[in-house]
Amino acid sequence: MLEAEVAVVGAGAAGLSLAHRLSGHAPRSRTPSVILLDAPPGPLRPPSRTWCFWERGRGRFDAAVTAYWERLRVRPPAGAPIEDGLAPLRYKMIRSDDFEDLVGRDLAHSPNVRRLEATVETVEDVTGGARVHLREAGGTHRVLHTRWVLDSRPLGSLPAARTTLLQHFHGVFVRTSRPLFDPGVAELMDFRTPQPADGLSFGYVLPTGPHEALVEYTEFSPRTLTAHGYDAAVRHYADDVLRLGEREVLATETGVIPMTDAPIARQTGASVFRIGAAGGATRPATGYTFAGLQRQTRAVAAALREGRRPLPPPAHSVRSRAMDAVLLRALASGRVDGPALFSGLFARVPMARLLRFLDGDTRLHEDLAIGLRTPIRPMLHSALELPSLPRRPFD
């Protein structure tokens, strides 16, 4: 039988971030005992991926940052590109393997955090805490008794929603024979890709040197593609749009991020809470998650060190989620042209202000000013119909 005050389930971005914040002693604070439960190698462990976010100056995990950019570019379907600086923000990329290495080195020396490789089979509330049933790689069953459980495992199914789109993508890390990339500028959205009948698509280029970059194809749409479909889309973008020519593929990544206006529960039992994407950290209209889960894990760690109930706060404000619901409905209904909408916003709003808006860091008057730069009638139509729409399961 195992015992700890806190069980952190899952060692992805959210689980590792929370364990890192709870590791070690802090002045005038409690030091809870923590067990970080990591799934054994196999289908329950997520594949390698990249996480991108923006923040001011240096950050907690900068040692794991692969690259950062102080300028972003957006390309409309036709016409001149839109480019702007981000100061005082930086757009950062972290690769999951580097993040795990950084946090893992710190946790290896932690006096109060222990990592355990096991599959979590069930989590149940009991008097005064929770009981976590585990199965280790060799098949041994164990039980962990804990006061609190913070669960970051992906949801088994999406809650019922008025609107759900999928942000799905496939990317390749490439090295080209010619110096084709500008390491000082990231291509955030390149709408010169063929647009799907139902949704929108764009290219995404994060250069790490003149010869190296992550080149990605992304869609916001109701359905994913086949493996062949993703390969063809990336190949078309690299060959026919970017004209990269001879290149070596160093690595690949594929992912699916739900973009939904469904309310996501952050508590599933008296002592059991969800964090990360499973706890609503994903911004519905963009798919960005890393910054939201950092806000959550920072608050949860502070509560545990102060001896309080560690209910994760909402990662995004009520106002932000309401605006996202309108945007998702406008996109899903086809009332607005996605490439034109996003290109217009980036052309009319300073890049740094728009990023702050997307992270919920703007005031009401700034939100209203940005809203007035969207197609007013279709957005208003979408807002007015939302209260009458039923919430349905995503199929």
Side-chain angles (χ1 to χ4, degrees):
M1 187 172 64
L2 300 167
E3 291 188 357
E5 185 175 347
V6 180
V8 179
V9 181
L16 288 171
S17 296
L18 179 57
H20 193 264
R21 293 180 184 279
L22 291 172
S23 176
H25 304 291
R28 297 179 297 280
S29 296
R30 300 176 65 258
T31 305
S33 59
V34 180
I35 292 184
L36 173 63
L37 298 167
D38 191 5
L44 295 180
R45 183 175 288 189
S48 299
R49 63 189 66 189
T50 59
W51 299 309
C52 291
F53 59 102
W54 50 89
E55 64 182 348
R56 287 175 169 82
R58 294 192 54 79
R60 183 184 185 93
F61 300 110
D62 270 9
V65 168
T66 303
Y68 68 84
W69 300 269
E70 295 180 338
R71 297 188 68 81
L72 293 181
R73 183 184 295 130
V74 172
R75 293 186 184 269
I82 303 149
E83 185 179 318
D84 196 5
L86 307 181
L89 303 176
R90 291 176 174 177
Y91 190 81
K92 301 181 180 183
M93 175 176 71
I94 290 181
R95 300 184 71 170
S96 58
D97 291 346
D98 295 333
F99 184 76
E100 184 168 358
D101 288 346
L102 172 68
V103 175
R105 288 195 299 271
D106 289 347
L107 295 184
H109 302 289
S110 172
N112 65 307
V113 178
R114 173 186 174 189
R115 294 187 72 166
L116 178 63
E117 196 171 274
T119 300
V120 174
E121 296 185 326
T122 58
V123 178
E124 59 178 331
D125 274 310
V126 296
T127 303
R131 186 179 292 132
V132 183
H133 294 266
L134 314 171
R135 192 164 299 279
E136 297 181 333
T140 303
H141 175 263
R142 303 186 75 176
V143 178
L144 166 62
H145 290 269
T146 182
R147 177 67 185 93
W148 306 109
V149 175
L150 283 304
D151 193 346
S152 67
R153 293 174 297 171
L155 299 175
S157 60
L158 293 176
R162 295 167 298 192
T163 310
T164 298
L165 293 174
L166 301 177
Q167 179 180 153
H168 48 107
F169 54 88
H170 180 66
V172 290
F173 289 87
V174 299
R175 179 182 292 130
T176 59
S177 59
R178 295 175 293 142
L180 300 176
F181 303 111
D182 179 357
V185 184
E187 301 266 357
L188 189 67
M189 298 177 114
D190 184 346
F191 291 110
R192 296 176 296 172
T193 53
Q195 294 302 310
D198 193 6
L200 65 93
S201 74
F202 56 90
Y204 182 51
V205 183
L206 300 182
T208 56
H211 294 265
E212 295 85 27
L214 168 61
V215 176
E216 202 157 271
Y217 173 83
T218 300
E219 276 192 21
F220 294 178
S221 61
R223 291 167 295 278
T224 58
L225 306 181
T226 63
H228 174 74
Y230 287 119
D231 287 339
V234 171
R235 194 162 52 247
H236 175 273
Y237 182 56
D239 288 337
D240 299 337
V241 178
L242 298 180
R243 301 186 184 278
L244 297 185
E246 183 180 347
R247 60 190 179 272
E248 177 187 3
V249 175
L250 307 176
T252 65
E253 70 169 21
T254 303
V256 181
I257 302 171
M259 304 170 69
T260 175
D261 69 352
I264 296 178
R266 291 168 286 118
Q267 182 170 4
T268 59
S271 297
V272 184
F273 307 93
R274 287 178 176 152
I275 56 172
T282 301
R283 180 73 193 258
T286 66
Y288 284 100
T289 304
F290 195 82
L293 70 85
Q294 294 307 326
R295 288 191 288 271
Q296 277 191 340
T297 56
R298 186 185 306 117
V300 168
L304 289 167
R305 287 191 178 276
E306 294 166 9
R308 297 184 285 107
R309 176 170 165 266
L311 173 65
H316 309 286
S317 69
V318 172
R319 189 168 80 237
S320 294
R321 297 196 304 271
M323 291 185 295
D324 285 1
V326 174
L327 176 59
L328 287 176
R329 185 61 192 165
L331 291 172
S333 66
R335 292 192 189 101
V336 298
D337 178 289
L341 168 69
F342 286 109
S343 298
L345 280 175
F346 280 101
R348 298 173 190 138
V349 181
M351 200 80 74
R353 184 183 304 166
L354 196 51
L355 291 186
R356 288 195 300 108
F357 168 76
L358 295 176
D359 208 27
D361 191 29
T362 44
R363 297 182 179 181
L364 177 59
H365 72 275
E366 294 176 294
D367 294 347
L368 293 173
I370 291 171
L372 290 174
R373 286 162 174 77
T374 64
I376 300 298
R377 292 183 64 182
M379 298 295 277
L380 183 59
H381 185 172
S382 299
L384 292 175
E385 79 169 352
L386 277 175
S388 64
L389 293 176
R391 295 188 181 272
R392 295 191 175 95
F394 181 72
D395 51 18

